[in-house]
Amino acid sequence: QPDQAVYPGNLVKAWQGAGQLKRAVALLEATVAAHPEDSKAWYLLGLGYRELGRTEDFQAAWRAFLKLEPETALRPSVC
């Protein structure tokens, strides 16, 4: 449940490792909906979208991450 854990990183990593990336993305979507200030969740969500080929969603998630973490050195192209 996203309300119980703001950063579900371990569960996401487990699902990714088990080939369940769509399930991990769904959890991250719920997490950022409940906790839009969670930059780590936005970061992971963006990576998940990119891996799934969801370019527009990746760009939106990455922009949300950069808005929360403007000084980050990790800036892949979003264009």
Side-chain angles (χ1 to χ4, degrees):
Q1 295 237 4
D3 291 338
Q4 296 175 351
V6 174
Y7 178 62
N10 291 336
L11 185 55
V12 168
K13 287 178 186 178
W15 284 342
Q16 286 175 320
Q20 297 185 34
L21 184 57
K22 289 181 182 180
R23 189 173 180 186
V25 165
L27 175 62
L28 289 164
E29 288 171 335
T31 300
V32 299
H35 304 281
E37 75 288 349
D38 188 340
S39 63
K40 289 180 182 180
W42 280 111
Y43 175 80
L44 291 173
L45 180 58
L47 294 180
Y49 283 150
R50 186 176 64 181
E51 200 167 321
L52 291 172
R54 293 173 59 178
T55 305
E56 290 180 18
D57 291 328
F58 160 71
Q59 291 171 345
W62 198 256
R63 284 188 199 100
F65 167 71
L66 291 176
K67 186 174 181 180
L68 295 168
E69 300 286 340
E71 300 301 318
T72 187
L74 302 172
R75 291 180 179 247
S77 174
V78 295
C79 298

